[in-house]
Coordinates of all heavy atoms in Angstrom, one line a residue:
M26 N 7.6 11.6 -6.2 CA 6.2 11.7 -6.0 C 5.5 10.4 -6.0 O 5.9 9.6 -6.8 CB 5.7 12.6 -7.0 CG 4.2 12.9 -6.9 SD 3.5 14.0 -8.1 CE 4.8 14.9 -8.8
L27 N 4.6 10.2 -5.1 CA 3.8 8.9 -5.0 C 3.0 8.7 -6.3 O 2.4 9.7 -6.8 CB 2.9 8.9 -3.8 CG 3.6 8.9 -2.4 CD1 2.5 9.0 -1.4 CD2 4.4 7.7 -2.2
E28 N 2.9 7.4 -6.7 CA 2.1 7.1 -7.9 C 0.6 7.1 -7.5 O -0.2 7.4 -8.3 CB 2.4 5.6 -8.3 CG 3.7 5.5 -9.0 CD 4.0 4.1 -9.4 OE1 3.0 3.3 -9.7 OE2 5.2 3.7 -9.4
I29 N 0.3 6.8 -6.2 CA -1.1 6.6 -5.7 C -1.8 5.6 -6.6 O -2.6 5.9 -7.5 CB -1.8 8.0 -5.7 CG1 -1.0 9.1 -4.9 CG2 -3.2 7.8 -5.1 CD1 -1.8 10.4 -4.8
R30 N -1.4 4.4 -6.4 CA -1.9 3.2 -7.1 C -3.4 3.0 -6.8 O -3.8 3.3 -5.7 CB -1.0 2.0 -6.8 CG 0.4 2.2 -7.3 CD 1.3 1.0 -6.9 NE 2.6 1.2 -7.3 CZ 3.6 0.6 -6.9 NH1 3.4 -0.5 -6.1 NH2 4.8 0.8 -7.3
P31 N -4.1 2.5 -7.8 CA -5.6 2.4 -7.7 C -6.2 1.2 -7.0 O -7.4 1.1 -6.9 CB -6.0 2.5 -9.2 CG -4.9 1.7 -9.9 CD -3.7 2.1 -9.1
N32 N -5.4 0.2 -6.6 CA -5.9 -1.0 -6.0 C -5.0 -1.7 -5.0 O -3.9 -1.4 -4.9 CB -6.2 -2.0 -7.2 CG -4.9 -2.5 -7.8 OD1 -4.1 -1.7 -8.3 ND2 -4.7 -3.8 -7.8
C33 N -5.7 -2.6 -4.3 CA -4.9 -3.4 -3.3 C -4.2 -4.5 -4.2 O -4.9 -5.2 -5.0 CB -5.9 -4.1 -2.3 SG -5.1 -5.3 -1.2
E34 N -3.0 -4.7 -4.0 CA -2.2 -5.7 -4.7 C -2.7 -7.1 -4.4 O -2.4 -8.0 -5.1 CB -0.8 -5.5 -4.5 CG -0.2 -4.2 -5.0 CD 1.3 -4.1 -4.9 OE1 2.0 -5.1 -4.8 OE2 1.8 -2.9 -4.7
C35 N -3.3 -7.3 -3.3 CA -3.7 -8.7 -2.8 C -5.1 -9.0 -3.3 O -5.3 -10.0 -4.0 CB -3.6 -8.7 -1.3 SG -3.9 -10.4 -0.6
C36 N -6.1 -8.2 -2.8 CA -7.5 -8.5 -3.1 C -8.1 -7.8 -4.3 O -9.2 -8.0 -4.7 CB -8.4 -8.4 -1.9 SG -8.6 -6.7 -1.5
D37 N -7.4 -6.8 -4.9 CA -7.7 -6.0 -6.0 C -8.9 -5.0 -5.7 O -9.5 -4.5 -6.6 CB -8.1 -6.9 -7.2 CG -8.1 -6.1 -8.5 OD1 -7.2 -5.2 -8.6 OD2 -8.9 -6.3 -9.4
K38 N -9.1 -4.7 -4.4 CA -10.1 -3.7 -4.0 C -9.7 -2.4 -4.6 O -8.5 -2.0 -4.6 CB -10.2 -3.7 -2.5 CG -11.1 -2.6 -2.0 CD -11.1 -2.6 -0.5 CE -12.1 -1.6 0.1 NZ -12.3 -1.7 1.5
D39 N -10.7 -1.6 -5.1 CA -10.4 -0.3 -5.6 C -10.0 0.6 -4.4 O -10.7 0.6 -3.4 CB -11.7 0.3 -6.3 CG -11.9 -0.4 -7.6 OD1 -11.1 -0.9 -8.2 OD2 -13.1 -0.4 -8.0
L40 N -9.0 1.4 -4.6 CA -8.5 2.3 -3.5 C -8.4 3.7 -4.2 O -7.4 4.0 -4.9 CB -7.1 1.9 -3.0 CG -7.2 0.5 -2.2 CD1 -5.7 0.1 -1.9 CD2 -8.0 0.7 -0.9
A41 N -9.5 4.5 -4.1 CA -9.5 5.8 -4.7 C -8.3 6.6 -4.2 O -7.9 6.4 -3.1 CB -10.9 6.4 -4.4
P42 N -8.0 7.7 -4.9 CA -6.9 8.6 -4.4 C -7.1 9.1 -3.0 O -6.2 9.3 -2.3 CB -6.9 9.6 -5.5 CG -7.4 9.0 -6.7 CD -8.5 8.0 -6.2
D43 N -8.4 9.3 -2.6 CA -8.7 9.9 -1.3 C -9.1 8.8 -0.3 O -9.6 9.1 0.8 CB -9.7 10.9 -1.4 CG -11.1 10.5 -1.9 OD1 -11.1 9.3 -2.4 OD2 -12.0 11.2 -1.9
S44 N -8.8 7.5 -0.6 CA -9.1 6.5 0.3 C -8.3 6.5 1.6 O -7.1 6.7 1.6 CB -8.9 5.1 -0.4 OG -9.1 4.0 0.6
T45 N -9.0 6.4 2.7 CA -8.3 6.2 4.0 C -8.0 4.8 4.4 O -7.4 4.6 5.4 CB -9.2 6.9 5.1 OG1 -10.4 6.2 5.2 CG2 -9.4 8.3 4.9
E46 N -8.3 3.8 3.5 CA -8.0 2.4 3.7 C -6.7 2.0 3.0 O -6.4 0.9 3.2 CB -9.2 1.6 3.2 CG -10.4 1.8 3.9 CD -11.5 0.8 3.4 OE1 -11.3 -0.4 3.3 OE2 -12.6 1.3 3.0
A47 N -6.1 2.9 2.2 CA -4.9 2.5 1.5 C -3.7 2.5 2.4 O -3.5 3.5 3.1 CB -4.7 3.4 0.3
M48 N -2.9 1.5 2.3 CA -1.7 1.4 3.1 C -0.5 1.2 2.2 O -0.7 0.5 1.1 CB -1.8 0.2 4.1 CG -3.0 0.2 5.0 SD -2.9 1.5 6.2 CE -1.7 0.8 7.3
I49 N 0.7 1.8 2.5 CA 1.8 1.6 1.6 C 3.1 1.3 2.4 O 3.1 1.7 3.6 CB 2.1 2.9 0.7 CG1 2.4 4.1 1.6 CG2 0.9 3.1 -0.3 CD1 2.8 5.3 0.8
C50 N 4.0 0.6 1.8 CA 5.3 0.5 2.4 C 6.2 1.5 1.9 O 5.8 2.4 1.0 CB 5.9 -0.9 2.1 SG 6.5 -1.1 0.4
T51 N 7.5 1.6 2.1 CA 8.5 2.6 1.7 C 8.7 2.5 0.2 O 9.2 3.4 -0.4 CB 9.8 2.4 2.4 OG1 10.4 1.2 2.1 CG2 9.7 2.7 3.8
Y52 N 8.3 1.4 -0.5 CA 8.5 1.3 -1.9 C 7.1 1.5 -2.7 O 7.0 1.3 -3.8 CB 9.0 -0.1 -2.3 CG 10.4 -0.3 -1.9 CD1 10.7 -1.0 -0.7 CD2 11.5 0.2 -2.6 CE1 12.0 -1.1 -0.3 CE2 12.8 0.0 -2.2 CZ 13.1 -0.6 -1.0 OH 14.3 -0.8 -0.6
E53 N 6.1 1.9 -1.9 CA 4.8 2.2 -2.3 C 4.0 1.0 -2.8 O 3.1 1.0 -3.6 CB 4.8 3.3 -3.4 CG 3.4 3.9 -3.5 CD 3.2 5.0 -4.6 OE1 4.3 5.4 -5.2 OE2 2.1 5.4 -4.8
C54 N 4.4 -0.2 -2.3 CA 3.5 -1.4 -2.5 C 2.2 -1.0 -1.8 O 2.3 -0.4 -0.7 CB 4.2 -2.6 -1.9 SG 5.8 -3.1 -2.6
T55 N 1.1 -1.2 -2.4 CA -0.2 -0.7 -2.0 C -1.2 -1.8 -1.7 O -1.4 -2.7 -2.5 CB -0.8 0.2 -3.0 OG1 0.2 1.3 -3.3 CG2 -2.1 0.9 -2.6
F56 N -1.7 -1.8 -0.5 CA -2.7 -2.8 0.0 C -3.7 -2.2 0.8 O -3.5 -1.1 1.4 CB -1.9 -3.9 0.9 CG -0.9 -4.7 0.1 CD1 0.4 -4.2 0.1 CD2 -1.2 -5.9 -0.5 CE1 1.4 -5.0 -0.7 CE2 -0.3 -6.6 -1.2 CZ 1.0 -6.1 -1.3
C57 N -4.9 -2.8 0.9 CA -6.0 -2.3 1.7 C -5.7 -2.6 3.1 O -4.9 -3.5 3.5 CB -7.3 -2.8 1.3 SG -7.6 -4.5 1.6
M58 N -6.3 -1.9 4.0 CA -6.1 -2.1 5.5 C -6.5 -3.4 5.9 O -5.8 -4.1 6.8 CB -7.0 -1.0 6.2 CG -6.4 -0.8 7.6 SD -7.3 0.7 8.4 CE -6.6 2.0 7.6
T59 N -7.6 -4.0 5.3 CA -8.0 -5.4 5.6 C -6.9 -6.4 5.4 O -6.6 -7.2 6.2 CB -9.3 -5.7 4.9 OG1 -10.3 -4.8 5.4 CG2 -9.8 -7.1 5.3
C60 N -6.3 -6.4 4.2 CA -5.3 -7.3 3.8 C -4.0 -7.1 4.6 O -3.4 -8.1 5.1 CB -5.0 -7.2 2.3 SG -6.3 -7.9 1.3
V61 N -3.7 -5.9 4.9 CA -2.5 -5.6 5.8 C -2.7 -6.2 7.1 O -1.8 -6.8 7.7 CB -2.2 -4.1 5.8 CG1 -1.2 -3.7 7.0 CG2 -1.7 -3.5 4.5
T62 N -3.9 -6.1 7.7 CA -4.1 -6.6 9.0 C -4.3 -8.1 9.1 O -3.8 -8.8 9.9 CB -5.4 -5.8 9.6 OG1 -5.2 -4.5 9.6 CG2 -5.7 -6.2 11.0
E63 N -5.2 -8.6 8.2 CA -5.7 -10.0 8.3 C -4.8 -11.0 7.6 O -4.7 -12.2 7.9 CB -7.1 -10.1 7.8 CG -8.0 -9.3 8.7 CD -9.5 -9.4 8.2 OE1 -9.8 -10.2 7.3 OE2 -10.3 -8.6 8.8
I64 N -4.1 -10.6 6.5 CA -3.2 -11.5 5.8 C -1.8 -11.3 6.0 O -1.0 -12.2 6.2 CB -3.6 -11.5 4.3 CG1 -5.1 -12.0 4.1 CG2 -2.6 -12.3 3.4 CD1 -5.6 -11.8 2.7
L65 N -1.3 -10.0 5.7 CA 0.0 -9.6 5.7 C 0.6 -9.4 7.1 O 1.8 -9.4 7.3 CB 0.3 -8.4 4.8 CG -0.2 -8.6 3.4 CD1 -0.1 -7.2 2.7 CD2 0.5 -9.6 2.7
E66 N -0.3 -9.1 8.1 CA 0.1 -8.8 9.5 C 1.2 -7.7 9.5 O 2.2 -7.9 10.2 CB 0.5 -10.1 10.1 CG -0.6 -11.1 10.2 CD -0.3 -12.4 11.0 OE1 -0.2 -12.2 12.2 OE2 0.0 -13.4 10.4
N67 N 1.0 -6.7 8.7 CA 1.9 -5.5 8.7 C 3.3 -5.9 8.2 O 4.3 -5.2 8.6 CB 2.0 -4.8 10.1 CG 2.5 -3.3 9.9 OD1 2.3 -2.7 8.9 ND2 3.3 -2.9 10.9
V68 N 3.4 -6.8 7.4 CA 4.7 -7.2 6.8 C 4.5 -7.1 5.2 O 3.8 -7.9 4.7 CB 5.2 -8.7 7.1 CG1 6.5 -9.0 6.5 CG2 5.3 -8.8 8.6
C69 N 5.3 -6.2 4.6 CA 5.2 -6.1 3.2 C 5.7 -7.5 2.5 O 6.9 -7.8 2.8 CB 5.9 -4.9 2.6 SG 6.0 -4.8 0.8
P70 N 5.0 -8.0 1.6 CA 5.4 -9.3 1.0 C 6.6 -9.1 0.0 O 7.1 -10.1 -0.5 CB 4.2 -9.9 0.4 CG 3.3 -8.7 0.0 CD 3.6 -7.7 1.2
N71 N 6.8 -7.9 -0.3 CA 7.9 -7.7 -1.3 C 9.2 -7.3 -0.6 O 10.2 -7.9 -0.9 CB 7.4 -6.6 -2.3 CG 6.2 -7.0 -3.0 OD1 6.1 -8.0 -3.6 ND2 5.1 -6.1 -2.9
C72 N 9.1 -6.3 0.3 CA 10.4 -5.9 0.9 C 10.6 -6.3 2.4 O 11.6 -6.2 3.0 CB 10.5 -4.3 0.9 SG 9.3 -3.5 1.9
G73 N 9.5 -6.7 3.0 CA 9.6 -7.2 4.4 C 9.4 -6.1 5.4 O 9.4 -6.3 6.6
G74 N 9.2 -4.9 4.9 CA 9.0 -3.7 5.8 C 7.6 -3.6 6.3 O 6.7 -4.5 6.0
G75 N 7.2 -2.6 7.0 CA 5.9 -2.4 7.5 C 5.1 -1.4 6.7 O 5.6 -1.0 5.6
F76 N 3.9 -1.1 7.1 CA 3.0 -0.3 6.3 C 2.6 1.0 7.1 O 2.6 1.0 8.3 CB 1.7 -1.0 5.9 CG 1.9 -2.1 4.9 CD1 2.1 -3.4 5.3 CD2 1.9 -1.8 3.6 CE1 2.3 -4.4 4.4 CE2 2.2 -2.8 2.6 CZ 2.3 -4.1 3.0
V77 N 2.2 2.1 6.4 CA 1.7 3.3 7.0 C 0.4 3.6 6.0 O 0.3 3.2 4.9 CB 2.6 4.5 7.0 CG1 3.8 4.2 7.9 CG2 3.2 4.8 5.6
T78 N -0.4 4.5 6.6 CA -1.5 4.9 5.8 C -1.0 5.8 4.6 O -0.1 6.7 4.9 CB -2.5 5.8 6.7 OG1 -2.9 4.9 7.8 CG2 -3.7 6.2 5.9
R79 N -1.5 5.6 3.4 CA -1.1 6.4 2.3 C -1.6 7.8 2.4 O -2.8 8.0 2.7 CB -1.6 5.7 1.0 CG -1.2 6.5 -0.2 CD -1.8 5.9 -1.5 NE -3.2 6.0 -1.6 CZ -4.0 5.4 -2.4 NH1 -3.5 4.5 -3.3 NH2 -5.3 5.5 -2.5
P80 N -0.8 8.8 2.2 CA -1.2 10.2 2.2 C -2.2 10.5 1.1 O -2.2 9.8 0.1 CB 0.1 11.0 2.0 CG 1.2 10.1 2.2 CD 0.7 8.7 1.9
I81 N -3.0 11.5 1.3 CA -4.1 11.8 0.4 C -3.5 13.2 -0.3 O -3.3 14.1 0.4 CB -5.4 12.0 1.0 CG1 -5.9 10.7 1.5 CG2 -6.4 12.6 0.1 CD1 -7.2 10.8 2.4
R82 N -3.4 13.1 -1.6 CA -3.0 14.3 -2.4 C -4.1 15.3 -2.4 O -5.3 14.9 -2.6 CB -2.6 13.9 -3.8 CG -1.9 15.0 -4.6 CD -1.2 14.4 -5.8 NE -0.1 13.6 -5.4 CZ 0.4 12.7 -6.2 NH1 -0.1 12.4 -7.4 NH2 1.4 11.9 -5.8
P83 N -3.8 16.6 -2.1 CA -4.9 17.6 -2.0 C -5.7 17.7 -3.3 O -5.2 17.6 -4.4 CB -4.1 18.9 -1.8 CG -2.8 18.5 -1.2 CD -2.5 17.1 -1.8
K84 N -7.0 17.9 -3.1 CA -7.9 18.1 -4.3 C -7.8 19.5 -4.8 O -8.0 19.8 -6.0 CB -9.4 17.8 -3.9 CG -9.6 16.4 -3.6 CD -11.0 16.1 -3.1 CE -11.2 14.6 -2.8 NZ -12.5 14.3 -2.3
V85 N -7.5 20.5 -3.9 CA -7.4 21.9 -4.2 C -6.0 22.3 -4.3 O -5.2 22.0 -3.4 CB -8.2 22.7 -3.2 CG1 -8.0 24.2 -3.5 CG2 -9.6 22.3 -3.2
A86 N -5.5 23.0 -5.3 CA -4.2 23.5 -5.4 C -4.0 24.8 -4.6 O -4.3 25.9 -5.0 CB -3.8 23.8 -6.9
R87 N -3.6 24.6 -3.4 CA -3.3 25.7 -2.5 C -2.0 26.4 -2.9 O -1.8 27.6 -2.4 CB -3.4 25.3 -1.0 CG -4.8 24.9 -0.7 CD -5.1 24.5 0.8 NE -6.5 24.4 1.1 CZ -7.2 23.3 0.7 NH1 -6.6 22.3 0.1 NH2 -8.5 23.3 1.1
R88 N -1.2 25.7 -3.6 CA 0.0 26.3 -4.1 C 0.0 25.9 -5.6 O -0.5 24.8 -6.0 CB 1.3 25.7 -3.5 CG 1.5 26.1 -2.1 CD 2.9 26.2 -1.7 NE 3.1 26.5 -0.3 CZ 3.4 27.8 0.1 NH1 3.6 28.7 -0.8 NH2 3.5 28.0 1.4
A89 N 0.4 26.8 -6.5 CA 0.2 26.6 -7.9 C 0.7 25.2 -8.4 O 1.9 24.9 -8.1 CB 0.9 27.7 -8.6
G90 N -0.1 24.5 -9.1 CA 0.2 23.2 -9.7 C 0.4 22.0 -8.8 O 0.8 21.0 -9.2
L91 N 0.0 22.2 -7.5 CA 0.1 21.1 -6.6 C -1.3 20.5 -6.1 O -1.8 21.0 -5.1 CB 1.0 21.5 -5.4 CG 2.4 21.9 -5.7 CD1 3.1 22.4 -4.4 CD2 3.1 20.8 -6.4
S92 N -1.8 19.6 -6.9 CA -3.0 19.0 -6.5 C -3.2 17.7 -7.3 O -2.4 17.5 -8.2 CB -4.2 19.9 -6.7 OG -4.4 20.1 -8.1
I93 N -4.2 16.9 -7.0 CA -4.5 15.7 -7.7 C -4.9 16.0 -9.2 O -4.6 15.2 -10.0 CB -5.6 14.8 -7.0 CG1 -5.7 13.4 -7.5 CG2 -6.9 15.5 -7.1 CD1 -4.6 12.5 -7.0
S94 N -5.4 17.1 -9.4 CA -5.7 17.4 -10.8 C -4.4 17.7 -11.6 O -4.4 17.6 -12.8 CB -6.7 18.6 -10.9 OG -6.2 19.7 -10.4
H95 N -3.4 18.2 -11.0 CA -2.2 18.5 -11.6 C -1.2 17.3 -11.7 O -0.5 17.1 -12.7 CB -1.4 19.7 -10.9 CG -2.2 20.9 -11.0 ND1 -3.1 21.4 -10.1 CD2 -2.1 21.9 -12.0 CE1 -3.6 22.5 -10.4 NE2 -3.0 22.9 -11.6
Q96 N -1.2 16.5 -10.7 CA -0.4 15.2 -10.7 C -1.4 14.1 -10.4 O -1.6 13.7 -9.2 CB 0.6 15.2 -9.6 CG 1.8 16.2 -9.9 CD 1.5 17.6 -9.3 OE1 0.8 17.7 -8.4 NE2 2.1 18.6 -9.9
P97 N -2.1 13.6 -11.5 CA -3.2 12.6 -11.2 C -2.6 11.2 -10.7 O -1.4 10.9 -10.9 CB -3.8 12.4 -12.6 CG -3.0 13.2 -13.6 CD -2.0 14.0 -12.8
A98 N -3.5 10.5 -10.0 CA -3.1 9.2 -9.5 C -2.9 8.2 -10.7 O -3.5 8.4 -11.8 CB -4.3 8.7 -8.6
S99 N -2.2 7.2 -10.4 CA -1.9 6.2 -11.4 C -3.3 5.4 -11.7 O -4.1 5.3 -10.8 CB -1.0 5.2 -10.9 OG -0.8 4.1 -11.7
V100 N -3.4 4.9 -12.9 CA -4.6 4.1 -13.2 C -4.0 2.6 -13.5 O -4.9 1.7 -13.8 CB -5.3 4.5 -14.5 CG1 -6.0 5.9 -14.2 CG2 -4.4 4.7 -15.7
E101 N -2.7 2.4 -13.4 CA -2.2 1.1 -13.6 C -2.4 0.2 -12.4 O -1.9 0.5 -11.3 CB -0.7 1.1 -14.0 CG 0.0 -0.2 -14.3 CD 1.4 -0.1 -14.6 OE1 1.9 1.0 -15.0 OE2 2.1 -1.1 -14.5
R102 N -3.1 -0.9 -12.5 CA -3.4 -1.8 -11.5 C -2.2 -2.8 -11.3 O -1.6 -3.2 -12.2 CB -4.7 -2.6 -11.7 CG -5.8 -1.6 -11.8 CD -7.1 -2.4 -12.0 NE -7.7 -2.9 -10.8 CZ -8.4 -2.1 -9.9 NH1 -8.6 -0.9 -10.2 NH2 -9.0 -2.6 -8.9
V103 N -1.8 -3.0 -10.0 CA -0.7 -3.8 -9.7 C -1.2 -5.0 -8.9 O -2.1 -4.9 -8.0 CB 0.4 -3.1 -8.9 CG1 1.5 -4.0 -8.4 CG2 0.9 -1.9 -9.7
H104 N -0.7 -6.2 -9.2 CA -1.2 -7.4 -8.4 C 0.1 -8.2 -7.9 O 1.1 -8.4 -8.6 CB -2.0 -8.4 -9.3 CG -3.2 -7.6 -9.9 ND1 -3.2 -7.0 -11.1 CD2 -4.4 -7.4 -9.3 CE1 -4.4 -6.4 -11.3 NE2 -5.1 -6.6 -10.3
T105 N -0.1 -8.7 -6.7 CA 1.0 -9.6 -6.2 C 1.1 -10.9 -7.0 O 0.2 -11.4 -7.5 CB 0.8 -9.9 -4.7 OG1 2.0 -10.6 -4.2 CG2 -0.4 -10.7 -4.5
K106 N 2.4 -11.3 -7.1 CA 2.6 -12.6 -7.8 C 2.5 -13.8 -6.8 O 2.6 -14.9 -7.3 CB 3.9 -12.6 -8.5 CG 5.1 -12.5 -7.6 CD 6.4 -12.4 -8.3 CE 7.6 -12.1 -7.4 NZ 8.9 -12.0 -8.2
Y107 N 2.3 -13.6 -5.5 CA 2.2 -14.6 -4.5 C 0.8 -15.0 -4.2 O -0.1 -14.2 -4.2 CB 2.9 -14.1 -3.3 CG 4.4 -13.6 -3.5 CD1 4.7 -12.3 -3.5 CD2 5.4 -14.5 -3.8 CE1 6.0 -11.9 -3.7 CE2 6.6 -14.1 -4.0 CZ 7.0 -12.7 -4.1 OH 8.2 -12.3 -4.3
S108 N 0.6 -16.3 -3.8 CA -0.6 -16.8 -3.3 C -0.9 -16.4 -1.9 O 0.0 -15.9 -1.2 CB -0.7 -18.3 -3.5 OG 0.2 -18.9 -2.5
I109 N -2.1 -16.4 -1.5 CA -2.5 -16.1 -0.1 C -1.6 -16.9 0.9 O -1.1 -16.4 1.8 CB -4.0 -16.3 0.3 CG1 -4.8 -15.4 -0.7 CG2 -4.3 -16.0 1.7 CD1 -4.7 -13.9 -0.4
S110 N -1.4 -18.2 0.7 CA -0.6 -19.0 1.6 C 0.8 -18.6 1.6 O 1.5 -18.6 2.6 CB -0.8 -20.5 1.2 OG -0.4 -20.7 -0.1
E111 N 1.3 -18.2 0.4 CA 2.7 -17.7 0.4 C 2.9 -16.3 1.1 O 3.8 -16.1 1.8 CB 3.2 -17.5 -1.1 CG 3.4 -18.8 -1.8 CD 3.7 -18.6 -3.3 OE1 2.9 -17.8 -3.9 OE2 4.6 -19.2 -3.8
L112 N 1.9 -15.5 1.0 CA 1.9 -14.3 1.7 C 1.9 -14.4 3.2 O 2.7 -13.9 4.0 CB 0.7 -13.3 1.3 CG 0.6 -12.9 -0.1 CD1 -0.7 -12.2 -0.4 CD2 1.7 -12.0 -0.4
K113 N 1.0 -15.3 3.7 CA 0.9 -15.6 5.1 C 2.2 -16.3 5.6 O 2.7 -16.0 6.7 CB -0.3 -16.5 5.4 CG -1.6 -15.8 5.3 CD -2.8 -16.7 5.6 CE -4.1 -15.9 5.6 NZ -5.2 -16.7 6.1
A114 N 2.8 -17.2 4.9 CA 4.0 -17.8 5.3 C 5.2 -16.8 5.4 O 6.0 -16.8 6.3 CB 4.5 -18.9 4.3
F115 N 5.2 -15.9 4.5 CA 6.2 -14.8 4.5 C 6.1 -13.9 5.7 O 7.0 -13.6 6.4 CB 6.2 -14.0 3.2 CG 7.3 -13.0 3.1 CD1 8.6 -13.3 2.7 CD2 7.1 -11.7 3.5 CE1 9.7 -12.4 2.6 CE2 8.1 -10.7 3.4 CZ 9.4 -11.1 2.9
S116 N 4.8 -13.5 6.0 CA 4.6 -12.6 7.1 C 4.8 -13.3 8.5 O 5.3 -12.6 9.4 CB 3.2 -12.0 7.1 OG 2.2 -13.0 7.4
L117 N 4.7 -14.6 8.5 CA 4.9 -15.3 9.7 C 6.4 -15.2 10.2 O 6.6 -15.1 11.4 CB 4.5 -16.8 9.5 CG 4.6 -17.8 10.7 CD1 3.6 -17.4 11.7 CD2 4.4 -19.2 10.2
K118 N 7.3 -15.0 9.3 CA 8.7 -14.9 9.6 C 9.1 -13.6 10.2 O 10.0 -13.6 11.0 CB 9.5 -15.1 8.4 CG 9.4 -16.5 7.7 CD 10.1 -16.6 6.4 CE 9.9 -17.8 5.6 NZ 10.5 -17.8 4.3
A119 N 8.3 -12.5 10.0 CA 8.7 -11.2 10.4 C 7.7 -10.5 11.2 O 8.0 -9.4 11.8 CB 9.2 -10.4 9.2
R120 N 6.5 -11.0 11.4 CA 5.5 -10.2 12.0 C 5.7 -9.9 13.5 O 5.2 -8.9 14.0 CB 4.1 -11.0 11.9 CG 4.1 -12.3 12.7 CD 2.8 -13.0 12.6 NE 2.8 -14.1 13.4 CZ 1.9 -15.1 13.3 NH1 0.9 -15.0 12.5 NH2 1.9 -16.1 14.1
H121 N 6.6 -10.7 14.1 CA 6.9 -10.4 15.6 C 7.9 -9.4 15.7 O 8.2 -8.9 16.8 CB 7.3 -11.8 16.2 CG 8.6 -12.3 15.7 ND1 8.6 -13.0 14.5 CD2 9.8 -12.3 16.1 CE1 9.9 -13.3 14.2 NE2 10.6 -13.0 15.2
I122 N 8.6 -9.0 14.7 CA 9.6 -8.0 14.7 C 9.0 -6.6 14.4 O 8.4 -6.5 13.4 CB 10.8 -8.3 13.7 CG1 11.3 -9.7 13.9 CG2 11.9 -7.3 13.8 CD1 12.2 -10.2 12.8
K123 N 9.3 -5.6 15.2 CA 8.8 -4.3 14.9 C 9.4 -3.8 13.6 O 10.5 -4.0 13.2 CB 9.3 -3.2 16.0 CG 8.7 -3.5 17.3 CD 9.3 -2.5 18.3 CE 8.8 -2.7 19.7 NZ 9.4 -1.7 20.6
P124 N 8.5 -3.1 12.8 CA 9.0 -2.6 11.5 C 10.3 -1.8 11.5 O 11.2 -2.0 10.6 CB 7.9 -1.7 11.0 CG 6.7 -2.3 11.6 CD 7.2 -2.7 12.9
E125 N 10.5 -1.1 12.6 CA 11.8 -0.3 12.7 C 13.0 -1.2 13.0 O 14.2 -0.7 12.9 CB 11.7 0.8 13.7 CG 11.4 0.4 15.1 CD 9.9 0.3 15.5 OE1 9.0 0.2 14.5 OE2 9.5 0.4 16.7
D126 N 12.8 -2.4 13.4 CA 13.8 -3.4 13.7 C 14.1 -4.4 12.6 O 15.0 -5.2 12.7 CB 13.6 -4.0 15.0 CG 13.6 -3.1 16.2 OD1 14.3 -2.0 16.1 OD2 13.0 -3.4 17.2
R127 N 13.3 -4.3 11.6 CA 13.4 -5.4 10.5 C 14.6 -5.0 9.7 O 15.1 -5.3 8.8 CB 12.1 -5.4 9.6 CG 11.0 -6.0 10.4 CD 9.8 -6.2 9.5 NE 8.7 -6.4 10.4 CZ 7.5 -6.1 10.1 NH1 7.2 -5.5 8.9 NH2 6.5 -6.3 10.9

């Protein structure tokens, strides 16, 4: 189950559980759409994969026990250990390769 992390790992922007701006990689590294586009160029700085829009966990339990109130989003903030220049240098190496070919 996804943690649904509360912030962009790059700029620390708040990303609410129902945010349509949250992007994740297959390891659930979480970044805002602006950082994915303008800094990371769709290259995860941790695994080198691409990003997709993070799913939104339902607010209403249409099946028993399955909603954001039953499985709440994480409150633990995560921050990248890399500088902006290191992030850009890393993405430069793989941005021209389609995520499915990385």
Side-chain angles (χ1 to χ4, degrees):
M26 178 178 341
L27 294 175
E28 291 178 26
I29 307 180
R30 297 176 184 167
N32 66 303
C33 173
E34 293 181 32
C35 184
C36 72
D37 200 35
K38 177 181 184 173
D39 289 336
L40 296 170
D43 61 352
S44 174
T45 57
E46 294 183 53
M48 307 288 288
I49 60 172
C50 74
T51 61
Y52 293 97
E53 203 182 349
C54 300
T55 305
F56 296 88
C57 70
M58 202 173 284
T59 300
C60 287
V61 166
T62 304
E63 296 178 9
I64 296 171
L65 305 173
E66 300 187 72
N67 198 35
V68 179
C69 177
N71 300 309
C72 71
F76 291 95
V77 296
T78 304
R79 181 179 70 192
I81 296 172
R82 191 164 293 156
K84 292 178 182 176
V85 176
R87 290 184 173 78
R88 294 210 183 259
L91 298 177
S92 71
I93 193 75
S94 62
H95 293 90
Q96 292 90 25
S99 174
V100 295
E101 183 179 336
R102 299 181 85 80
V103 177
H104 302 95
T105 185
K106 61 183 177 181
Y107 305 107
S108 69
I109 298 295
S110 59
E111 289 172 315
L112 295 172
K113 287 183 175 187
F115 185 81
S116 70
L117 187 63
K118 298 174 188 175
R120 68 181 183 192
H121 65 283
I122 305 168
K123 294 179 186 176
E125 60 270 23
D126 295 333
R127 291 186 197 149

